[in-house]
Each structure stands twice: as C-alpha cells, then as structure tokens.
C-alpha cells in the first residue's frame, strides 16, 4: 500500500465529533498530498466558514495526530481553509498546541468533556441501529438484552459501538452486554422500548445534521453528496 493510501486510511479514522462520521466520508478532506520526501500536506474544508471553532479544532488536531502515527511519514501539515478562525486554529495545530493556545481564555470547558458528550450521543444512536437490526431479524426484547458483544451483528455500526465503548471506558469485551446504558450496565428488557425510542431520535438528529452539512458542502465546494446518490439509486 502506498504511503498516500495509508495516510488516507488514517484520515478515515478521524470522526466529526458532532456527526460521528469520518471526515473522509463527509467530504471534509479537500486535498491530501505526499511529497517524495514523505511530508504530508492536508487541507480540510468545512460546510460553512462559521462552523463551530471547537469542533473544527478537534478535527484538525485529530487529523494531524492520525497522520503523524503513520509509519514513514516525516512531516505533517494540516490546514483548515476558508474558516473564520482558520488562522488561529492552523497556528495552534501546526505547533501541536491546544484549543486554549488558539483562543486564550475563551474556553471554559475542556474539549475532552465536549468530545465525551458527543461520543455518548453517538454510542446511543449506533446502538439504536444495532437494536433495530436485531428486532427486525426476529429477536424478542429479552433476547436482545441477553446478547453479548460477541453476538453483535456484523457491520460498521456494531464495530463503531465497540470502539466508542472502549474510548469511553465502558465494558466492551466479548462477554459484555451487547447494548449498554451510560454507566455500562445492560439495558433491562422492560425498558428497551423506551430506550430505543430515545436512541432513534438521537440517531435521526445526527443523520439530519449530517445531511445538512453534506448539502452545504455541495453548494460551497461542489462536493457531490454520495448519500443522496445512493438513495436515489
């Protein structure tokens, strides 16, 4: 695999913290160039110039860190283009700084706390999709909540659930409950219907926001929304 392909794979592990989708699938990677000397230059573009600076910083910083971990890469430059705080974010990310370095005194809460908040929302939404798959396949509520991680259906949602649980410090081993509440405990069968309804509402919100972002990106940069193409097909 070429170094460029490895870098793109690394960028695919970077998620928009608000939408829980890879920045590569959202179309946020405007360009990715690898020089003969193994220096990498990545340009990120967002749907509007006013996208929240905290989310923009997280994606730019995460992208830089992901590419730096690729074996063989020498230097990494990640630039956020056409954003109203791009200069501040680019300067801080370029030197490996923090959000507070970019905006001194403007951050009252840790970005780690913000990331965790949205990771928990993403986990609920992803688990909701997994639960719906199991119910549609014929599982009863009791059978769903009795399943373990090892018995999760194959697919990106189940894989992402395990990844999010690991990052959040929740149990994710093979024998852990397939679906968990915020404290890592199994969801009771008699509470599954209400929990699923909430999970689906959160999932719908994430999907709607993702669709809006894709639409805005298409208008701004001409990036074709592949999701709409797939639905139309």
């Amino acid at each position: 695999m070429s170094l460029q392909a490895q870098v793109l794979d690394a960028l695919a592990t970077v998620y928009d913290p608000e939408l829980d989708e890879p920045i590569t699938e959202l179309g946020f990677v405007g360009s990715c160039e690898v020089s003969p000397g193994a220096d990498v230059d990545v340009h990120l573009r967002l749907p509007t110039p006013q996208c929240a600076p905290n989310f923009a910083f997280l994606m730019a910083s995460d992208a830089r860190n992901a590419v730096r971990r690729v074996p063989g890469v020498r230097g990494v430059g990640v630039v956020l283009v056409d954003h109203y705080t791009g200069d501040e974010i680019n300067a801080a990310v370029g030197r490996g700084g923090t959000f507070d370095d970019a905006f001194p005194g403007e951050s009252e809460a840790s970005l780690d706390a913000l990331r965790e908040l949205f990771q928990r929302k993403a986990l609920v939404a992803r688990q909701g999709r997994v639960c719906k798959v199991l119910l549609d396949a014929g599982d009863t509520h009791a059978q769903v909540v009795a399943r373990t991680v090892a018995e999760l259906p194959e697919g990106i949602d189940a894989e992402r659930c395990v990844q999010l649980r690991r990052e959040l410090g929740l149990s994710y081993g093979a024998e852990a409950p397939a679906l968990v509440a915020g404290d890592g405990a199994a969801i009771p069968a008699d509470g599954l219907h209400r929990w699923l309804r909430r999970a689906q509402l959160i999932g719908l919100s994430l999907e709607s926001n993702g669709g809006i972002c894709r639409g805005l990106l298409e208008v701004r940069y001409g990036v074709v929304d592949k999701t709409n193409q797939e639905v139309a097909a």
Side-chain angles (χ1 to χ4, degrees):
M1 182 183 293
S2 69
L3 186 57
Q4 170 123 11
Q6 293 179 61
V7 169
L8 288 173
D9 281 350
L11 289 171
T13 68
V14 177
Y15 280 68
D16 180 311
E18 186 179 19
L19 304 177
D20 192 45
E21 293 188 58
I23 60 174
T24 49
E25 292 185 12
L26 287 165
F28 291 176
V29 179
S31 65
C32 175
E33 298 180 359
V34 180
S35 75
D39 290 319
V40 179
D41 183 33
V42 177
H43 283 194
L44 300 182
R45 58 192 179 189
L46 299 181
T48 75
Q50 292 80 30
C51 285
N54 45 14
F55 293 128
F57 180 89
L58 282 172
M59 285 184 277
S61 180
D62 288 352
R64 179 178 184 269
N65 291 334
V67 175
R68 290 183 68 202
R69 289 192 291 267
V70 176
V73 167
R74 190 178 67 175
V76 180
V78 174
V79 175
L80 181 65
V81 299
D82 298 333
H83 190 271
Y84 82 104
T85 62
D87 290 344
E88 294 88 343
I89 289 175
N90 292 335
V93 169
R95 60 179 182 269
T98 65
F99 185 76
D100 194 55
D101 292 326
F103 307 100
E106 295 186 24
S107 177
E108 296 181 359
S110 166
L111 285 194
D112 290 337
L114 180 69
R115 188 196 296 275
E116 180 180 333
L117 172 64
F118 281 91
Q119 283 178 324
R120 290 187 179 278
K121 287 185 177 182
L123 176 60
V124 173
R126 295 273 185 178
Q127 287 190 137
R129 294 175 197 162
V130 171
C131 180
K132 186 67 165 52
V133 168
L134 293 173
L135 291 173
D136 288 347
D139 272 20
T140 65
H141 285 200
Q143 288 172 326
V144 168
V145 301
R147 282 180 177 264
T148 65
V149 167
E151 297 171 320
L152 283 169
E154 293 184 359
I156 185 62
D157 284 321
E159 293 173 6
R160 181 64 176 157
C161 283
V162 172
Q163 181 183 1
L164 286 166
R165 285 167 64 166
R166 181 174 63 249
E167 293 174 359
L168 288 167
L170 301 176
S171 60
Y172 63 93
E175 299 305 314
L179 305 177
V180 295
D183 60 357
I187 298 167
D190 60 2
L192 187 65
H193 178 75
R194 182 176 180 181
W195 173 88
L196 178 57
R197 185 176 180 181
R198 174 173 173 266
Q200 290 177 319
L201 287 173
I202 293 175
L204 179 61
S205 176
L206 293 178
E207 291 171 9
S208 298
N209 288 338
I212 291 171
C213 285
R214 286 187 172 90
L216 290 171
L217 200 70
E218 184 169 359
V219 170
R220 190 179 187 196
Y221 293 111
V223 179
V224 177
D225 184 351
K226 295 181 181 178
T227 304
N228 284 340
Q229 285 188 326
E230 291 171 359
V231 171

